[in-house]
Amino acid sequence: MIWGIRSKTSSIITTMASLRPSSVKGDPVQFSPFSAITNSFMGFHRNWLSLRTKLGRVDNTWLRLSPSLKEKSVLRLDAWSISAGLAQELKKFKIQNMSETDGRVDFFDEMKQRFMSFKKQKYLGEVEHFKTLAEAQSPKFMVIACVDSRVCPSNILGFQPGEAFMVRNVANLVPPLENGRTETNAALEFAVKTLQVQNIFVIGHSCCAGIQTLMTMQDDENSSFTEKWVANAKVAKLRTKEAIRLSFDQQCKHCEKESINCSLLNLLTYPWIEERVRKGTLSLQGGYYDFLRCTFEIWTLDFKESNVSHGSRISVKDKAFWC
């Protein structure tokens, strides 16, 4: 058997050596069929891409003289096709990744342009005002609004720097004092006691996901942070359920407004707020922004007419509808 392999190898080598240089396209010095076949049978490692390129230069006449070499060429061509496919996928991934990165870069570039526009048109035009704000702030409003990205109070109501001290949370809720410390009542304390704001403005809005969560969850479900937080408005939910039969969307809209009134009543559980409201130095307002129709409702809590002692119902005055 060994003699047969050697004889076959010798025959192929002899045949290859007898080929004229014209049977190989290109410079015959760059590619030696003799060395390629010898190294193949000796088992030496050859660079597959280089081997494919060289094999591609050999014409069909030479390939027909060596079936085994033709088979090896096909195998190497298959390997090259697979590798090329992987390379193409890698290229696509890099392009996509670069595109996503460029998208982020473009977004912050746009943000930079917005800032530069603010600086040029607003800040530099009111330098003295901003210098005054740098010394101290004295806002007239404490605004409690939802975290929803579609309902920024500064955009909707045009609050300017220094006009409104603002806290935003899920569903624009004010928890009662008995529920303990939160960032909301911490902001309230600073706004009322230190900044001495004249108005606390609770602003709700249409299509509130926090209220939708409140309306769909079971009373004993407080497993998530969101559910535990919106449970602060469970009184508004109960009052909504007590109302006449409504569709789910109508119930949510009703609860969105009812929760604002509950927050206004909850504000009165804080003694330093209730005292100022009673004296008339602090006013509590509710507002509702319907961004589907771009309308705004506003009302003021009527402290004298509200049943504050039991916290059951709220009386309002000075209602207005902007459209």
Side-chain angles (χ1 to χ4, degrees):
M1 181 180 291
I2 295 175
W3 180 85
I5 294 174
R6 289 179 177 175
S7 176
K8 186 174 182 180
T9 303
S10 177
S11 175
I12 293 174
I13 292 173
T14 302
T15 304
M16 294 301 297
S18 66
L19 290 173
R20 295 190 307 274
S22 60
S23 64
V24 180
K25 299 178 180 178
D27 187 357
V29 176
Q30 294 180 1
F31 173 71
S32 171
F34 180 83
S35 62
I37 298 300
T38 302
N39 289 340
S40 177
F41 277 96
M42 294 296 291
F44 290 108
H45 174 71
R46 309 291 282 178
N47 183 282
W48 66 268
L49 183 57
S50 176
L51 181 59
R52 174 196 171 269
T53 303
K54 294 173 182 179
L55 287 171
R57 296 172 180 172
V58 182
D59 61 16
N60 292 334
T61 303
W62 179 74
L63 289 175
R64 283 197 297 269
L65 293 174
S66 179
S68 61
L69 180 59
K70 183 175 181 180
E71 182 180 355
K72 293 177 182 297
S73 298
V74 172
L75 291 175
R76 284 165 173 75
L77 286 171
D78 288 343
W80 176 83
S81 298
I82 295 172
S83 299
L86 293 174
Q88 186 67 21
E89 291 298 321
L90 179 60
K91 183 178 180 181
K92 288 181 180 179
F93 172 78
K94 288 181 177 179
I95 292 173
Q96 182 179 2
N97 190 49
M98 288 176 63
S99 177
E100 291 175 356
T101 303
D102 291 343
R104 289 192 293 270
V105 172
D106 290 342
F107 179 80
F108 281 102
D109 184 64
E110 181 180 349
M111 192 180 296
K112 175 186 174 182
Q113 297 305 318
R114 293 176 186 176
F115 170 74
M116 297 307 295
S117 176
F118 162 78
K119 182 177 181 179
K120 180 179 179 180
Q121 299 177 15
K122 187 73 177 178
Y123 182 86
L124 295 180
E126 303 176 20
V127 174
E128 293 304 319
H129 173 62
F130 281 98
K131 284 183 179 180
T132 302
L133 289 177
E135 298 296 329
Q137 60 172 324
S138 55
K140 298 296 185 286
F141 286 89
M142 164 66 181
V143 174
I144 301 169
C146 185
V147 293
D148 195 304
S149 63
R150 302 166 293 182
V151 293
C152 178
S154 295
N155 287 338
I156 299 165
L157 300 176
F159 286 117
Q160 299 302 304
E163 288 185 347
F165 188 77
M166 196 173 302
V167 62
R168 300 178 68 177
N169 60 48
V170 175
N172 44 270
L173 301 179
V174 177
L177 177 63
E178 63 191 42
N179 285 18
R181 296 180 177 91
T182 67
E183 73 284 355
T184 299
N185 48 38
L188 280 167
E189 183 180 51
F190 184 77
V192 173
K193 290 185 175 182
T194 303
L195 299 179
Q196 298 184 8
V197 297
Q198 299 174 9
N199 303 274
I200 299 178
F201 197 4
V202 181
I203 304 175
H205 67 94
S206 59
C207 303
C208 180
I211 296 299
Q212 291 173 2
T213 299
L214 173 67
M215 295 301 295
T216 55
M217 73 182 201
Q218 299 299 318
D219 293 337
D220 58 347
E221 286 183 355
N222 290 322
S223 58
S224 71
F225 291 117
T226 303
E227 291 171 343
K228 186 173 182 179
W229 172 254
V230 297
N232 283 304
K234 61 183 179 182
V235 174
K237 176 182 178 179
L238 292 175
R239 290 177 180 172
T240 299
K241 294 291 187 181
E242 292 171 358
I244 60 175
R245 287 185 176 274
L246 300 170
S247 67
F248 179 74
D249 289 341
Q250 291 172 328
Q251 285 184 351
C252 287
K253 186 169 184 176
H254 186 279
C255 190
E256 286 163 356
K257 295 181 180 181
E258 190 63 43
S259 67
I260 297 170
N261 289 333
C262 286
S263 287
L264 292 177
L265 282 175
N266 287 342
L267 284 169
L268 296 174
T269 63
Y270 297 87
W272 29 273
I273 291 179
E274 193 269 347
E275 179 186 2
R276 287 169 172 79
V277 173
R278 188 181 298 275
K279 290 180 178 180
T281 59
L282 180 63
S283 179
L284 307 183
Q285 281 93 19
Y288 181 80
Y289 171 52
D290 186 338
F291 63 78
L292 295 176
R293 298 174 177 83
C294 196
T295 60
F296 197 91
E297 298 176 54
I298 185 171
W299 58 92
T300 301
L301 179 139
D302 189 340
F303 180 77
K304 293 181 180 181
E305 297 297 327
S306 297
N307 190 358
V308 179
S309 58
H310 297 88
S312 57
R313 291 293 174 183
I314 185 176
S315 179
V316 300
K317 61 182 180 179
D318 302 331
K319 295 184 67 175
F321 185 77
W322 304 338
C323 62

